[in-house]
């Protein structure tokens, strides 16, 4: 088989800036050893996130010029609405400025004290918005999903038996909605199978509960289904995506991922009454329902992006380029979460730095070393992001300690990735010198964004 190449050519370029290891050492200490504080100009290759870091296409940029900036009833809104209706089959399409705005709106309406919201794994902002409402965000990932060394095709699946017992124990009246996140970002960008979506839908039907999908990376999930699930090999990704949405009563999307835009999102709902309430909150907090906190040109770019993302040459390249990164790291002996996910490679910090216990943030120590070694920015997804404390102040670690290297869409070429592989392999060779860390300052919610750390 021939090399799977980038299915595009580059029309516009942006320089990236080189720094020395000595300078980076200084910059890290000025950033309190938290890469969220680094200036992006001091980052050579930025794998902090695949969110809003997409390169837009020529057609998206021309859509930006074509955007109709009317406050109410903009033509760009109607195009956006038509594209999402065609894709999702959902009735009410409500634009938001990004994913968490959709989360804020929906959980302020259906959340609240005493409520429990199950998901395969809640993303951190989803969890935060649920918890801020007073409700409990419950992760019901299948058992394999928390075993980074085990290869399985659909490690994002929900544990359906656990869902049933949760509903039985909690009482269906206390579960406003069941969720599934496609792909499962916090669990390694792993896909959910159509069979699992169908089984979760069946449980929802049995208990008369709505199913909402977090569809940030629905196209990558659909492509995995095409590649891995029997019966889908000859369907188009669009048909697969439409089937996924056919099981949903609602969807939340941060279009900064598979919407191929730099900002934007939406909330899509079938329920008329809930949609009415959501639009009322939207008007108070985001904007009029035909723009939802965005410039109308952004709606135009999102509509175009949501069509482009279904291009199977793009998705073949996208999944292969991430897999290539993972394969080469495995060849160098570096422990990663297997198999490679759709949007990112995750280093398994527990096996990478086994001498650092979870309460001393092995992942964050690796994040710092990778930046220092090669100017590459990555992010810890482990005890810093998800760790909690019990009543005595003891650390409660999440199941996995990971370092995420998210790949922006259509931005970096294979030689950028080859460089990353060299840098990480080198850090791995020197892993014994990695040191544990401690937190010197943390905020009440989402502490990883603003925490200040130092080495022990
Ligand atoms: N849901 C999932 C699964 C996400 O990955 C994100 C964002 C959101 C919701 C929230 O969307 O950022 O537009 O408000 N994930 C980004 C990331 C931040 O880096 O994975 P948002």
């Amino acid at each position: 088989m021939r090399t799977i190449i980038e299915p595009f050519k580059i029309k516009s370029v942006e320089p990236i800036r080189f720094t020395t290891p000595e300078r980076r050492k200084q910059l890290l200490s000025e950033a309190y050893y938290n890469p969220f504080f680094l200036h992006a100009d001091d980052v050579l290759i930025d794998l902090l996130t695949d969110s809003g870091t997409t390169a837009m296409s020529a057609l998206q940029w021309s859509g930006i010029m074509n955007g109709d900036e009317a406050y109410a009833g903009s033509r760009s809104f109607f195009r956006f609405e038509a594209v999402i209706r065609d894709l999702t089959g959902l009735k009410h399409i409500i634009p938001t400025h990004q994913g968490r705005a959709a989360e804020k709106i929906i959980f302020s309406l259906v959340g609240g004290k005493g409520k429990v919201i199950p998901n395969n794994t809640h993303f951190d902002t989803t969890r935060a918005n649920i918890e801020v409402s007073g409700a409990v965000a419950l992760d019901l990932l299948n058992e394999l999903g928390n075993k980074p060394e085990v290869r399985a095709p659909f490690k994002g699946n929900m544990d359906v038996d656990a869902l049933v017992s949760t509903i039985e124990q909690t009482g269906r009246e206390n579960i406003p909605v069941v969720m599934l996140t496609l792909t499962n970002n916090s669990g390694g960008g792993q896909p959910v199978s159509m069979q699992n979506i169908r089984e979760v839908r069946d449980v929802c039907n049995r208990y008369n509960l709505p199913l909402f999908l977090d569809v940030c990376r629905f196209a990558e999930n659909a492509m995995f289904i095409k590649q891995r699930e029997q019966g889908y090999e000859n369907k188009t990704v669009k048909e697969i995506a439409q089937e996924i949405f056919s099981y949903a009563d609602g969807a939340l999307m941060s279009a900064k991922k598979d919407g191929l835009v730099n900002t934007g999102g939406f909330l899509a709902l079938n329920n008329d009454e809930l949609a009415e309430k959501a639009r009322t909150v939207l008007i108070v907090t985001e904007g009029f329902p035909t723009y939802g906190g965005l410039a109308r040109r952004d709606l135009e770019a999102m509509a175009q992006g949501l069509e482009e993302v279904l291009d199977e040459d793009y998705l073949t390249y996208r999944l292969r380029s991430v897999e290539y990164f993972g394969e080469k790291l495995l060849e160098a002996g570096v422990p990663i979460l297997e198999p490679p996910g759709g949007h990112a490679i995750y280093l398994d910090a527990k096996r990478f730095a086994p001498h650092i216990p979870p309460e001393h943030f092995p992942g964050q120590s690796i994040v710092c070393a990778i930046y220092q070694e090669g100017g590459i920015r990555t992010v810890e997804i482990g005890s810093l992001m998800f760790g909690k404390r019990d009543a005595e102040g003891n650390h409660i670690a999440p199941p996995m300690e990971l370092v995420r290297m998210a790949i922006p869409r259509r931005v970096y070429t294979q030689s950028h990735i080859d460089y990353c592989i060299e840098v990480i392999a080198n850090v791995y060779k020197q892993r014994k010198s990695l040191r544990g860390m401690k937190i010197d300052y943390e905020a009440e919610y989402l502490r990883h964004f603003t925490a200040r750390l130092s080495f022990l």
Side-chain angles (χ1 to χ4, degrees):
M1 201 165 86
R2 299 219 169 125
T3 304
I4 293 169
I5 59 169
E6 288 82 357
F8 49 80
K9 54 186 178 171
I10 297 167
K11 195 193 273 289
S12 179
V13 298
E14 243 184 305
I16 51 178
R17 214 165 67 97
F18 292 83
T19 47
T20 62
E22 296 71 43
R23 176 79 186 124
R24 292 195 289 268
K25 190 172 181 179
Q26 171 79 26
L27 291 165
L28 261 181
S29 97
E30 286 166 15
Y32 307 101
Y33 300 97
N34 182 348
F36 280 101
F37 287 121
L38 289 170
H39 290 207
D41 272 352
D42 296 323
V43 174
L44 184 64
I45 297 189
D46 205 346
L47 307 185
L48 183 70
T49 180
D50 63 322
S51 180
T53 51
T54 276
M56 290 212 293
S57 68
L59 278 175
Q60 284 178 294
W61 282 111
S62 63
I64 292 269
M65 278 307 291
N66 246 329
D68 168 13
E69 296 301 336
Y71 187 100
S74 156
R75 163 177 26 89
S76 300
F77 169 76
F78 292 114
R79 179 177 175 206
F80 166 83
E81 182 184 52
V83 167
I84 298 170
R85 260 204 202 130
D86 173 48
L87 178 67
T88 66
L90 293 163
K91 193 168 163 194
H92 301 280
I93 312 299
I94 301 168
T96 60
H97 78 275
Q98 60 179 81
R100 70 198 71 181
E103 292 167 358
K104 168 85 175 64
I105 291 170
I106 199 69
F107 299 124
S108 68
L109 295 171
V110 306
K113 219 167 157 17
K115 299 284 195 312
V116 174
I117 299 173
N119 200 334
N120 47 354
T121 313
H122 289 281
F123 181 66
D124 57 357
T125 59
T126 323
R127 173 176 298 283
N129 274 300
I130 290 171
E131 290 176 353
V132 165
S133 85
V136 172
L138 190 66
D139 293 339
L140 299 177
L141 190 60
N142 77 96
E143 201 192 328
L144 289 183
N146 282 324
K147 296 198 169 121
E149 67 290 354
V150 179
R151 272 189 179 254
F154 292 105
K155 289 173 76 176
N157 284 355
M158 180 180 267
D159 181 339
V160 179
D161 293 336
L163 176 62
V164 172
S165 45
T166 300
I167 300 171
E168 289 289 340
Q169 281 159 23
T170 314
R172 64 159 298 285
E173 65 284 1
N174 296 319
I175 301 186
V177 52
V178 174
M179 289 186 73
L180 278 174
T181 301
L182 317 177
T183 58
N184 185 26
N185 182 14
S186 306
Q190 302 292 319
V192 178
S193 70
M194 195 71 88
Q195 188 185 336
N196 190 249
I197 299 171
R198 233 181 270 122
E199 286 169 5
V200 170
R201 175 75 256 175
D202 286 346
V203 172
C204 289
N205 286 347
R206 208 179 319 149
Y207 292 94
N208 194 20
L209 293 174
L211 174 62
F212 281 19
L213 303 176
D214 176 335
V215 293
C216 293
R217 300 175 180 87
F218 76 96
E220 289 166 8
N221 199 105
M223 190 66 185
F224 276 125
I225 288 176
K226 184 177 170 104
Q227 292 175 346
R228 297 179 182 175
E229 193 162 348
Q230 221 189 348
Y232 289 93
E233 47 285 84
N234 296 322
K235 294 222 153 92
T236 66
V237 168
K238 183 170 178 186
E239 286 166 342
I240 297 171
Q242 284 170 326
E243 182 178 340
I244 292 173
F245 283 109
S246 74
Y247 301 119
D249 302 291
L252 295 85
M253 181 170 191
S254 166
K256 298 166 76 174
K257 288 81 167 171
D258 274 351
L260 301 180
V261 287
N262 303 120
T263 201
F266 65 81
L267 174 63
L269 297 166
N270 264 346
N271 185 300
D272 296 339
E273 199 188 326
L274 192 57
E276 190 51 37
K277 286 184 184 158
R279 285 202 181 95
T280 305
V281 180
L282 185 86
I283 291 178
V284 175
T285 60
E286 290 273 300
F288 191 72
T290 60
Y291 76 88
L294 292 156
R296 275 55 70 197
R297 55 181 174 266
D298 293 331
L299 301 174
E300 198 76 39
M302 244 193 292
Q304 178 64 30
L306 285 166
E307 291 187 331
E308 283 176 17
V309 79
L310 296 169
D311 172 8
E312 297 188 14
D313 289 334
Y314 161 73
L315 286 167
T316 303
Y317 140 79
R318 171 74 178 160
L319 297 189
R320 175 58 197 153
S321 60
V322 176
E323 182 185 51
Y324 169 88
F325 191 5
E327 263 172 19
K328 296 282 168 188
L329 288 174
L330 284 170
E331 281 169 23
V334 178
I336 63 163
L337 188 154
E338 293 188 63
H343 67 294
I345 292 295
Y346 296 65
L347 301 173
D348 181 358
K350 276 191 194 167
R351 285 183 290 154
F352 197 114
H355 60 289
I356 306 177
E359 62 270 29
H360 294 151
F361 310 110
Q364 191 69 6
S365 181
I366 297 169
V367 165
C368 291
I370 291 173
Y371 176 71
Q372 162 108 36
E373 173 78 17
I376 303 164
R377 178 156 66 170
T378 60
V379 67
E380 194 259 15
I381 302 207
S383 277
L384 179 60
M385 190 181 273
F386 292 127
K388 295 228 147 99
R389 288 204 185 84
D390 65 15
E392 279 83 54
N394 299 312
H395 181 75
I396 309 172
M400 295 190 279
E401 299 293 335
L402 304 171
V403 171
R404 188 182 74 171
M405 302 180 292
I407 319 296
R409 291 167 181 76
R410 311 190 288 204
V411 170
Y412 293 117
T413 65
Q414 187 170 337
S415 56
H416 289 118
I417 297 300
D418 284 333
Y419 169 86
C420 293
I421 293 159
E422 288 163 18
V423 168
I424 291 151
N426 215 25
V427 170
Y428 186 64
K429 273 193 206 133
Q430 301 160 38
R431 62 192 177 278
K432 296 220 167 65
S433 64
L434 292 169
R435 281 152 59 207
M437 310 187 77
K438 64 177 171 54
I439 295 181
D440 298 322
Y441 162 79
E442 65 184 286
E444 192 180 345
Y445 293 105
L446 300 174
R447 67 178 180 186
H448 57 284
F449 286 127
T450 53
R452 297 177 192 170
L453 297 103
S454 55
F455 284 102
L456 288 170

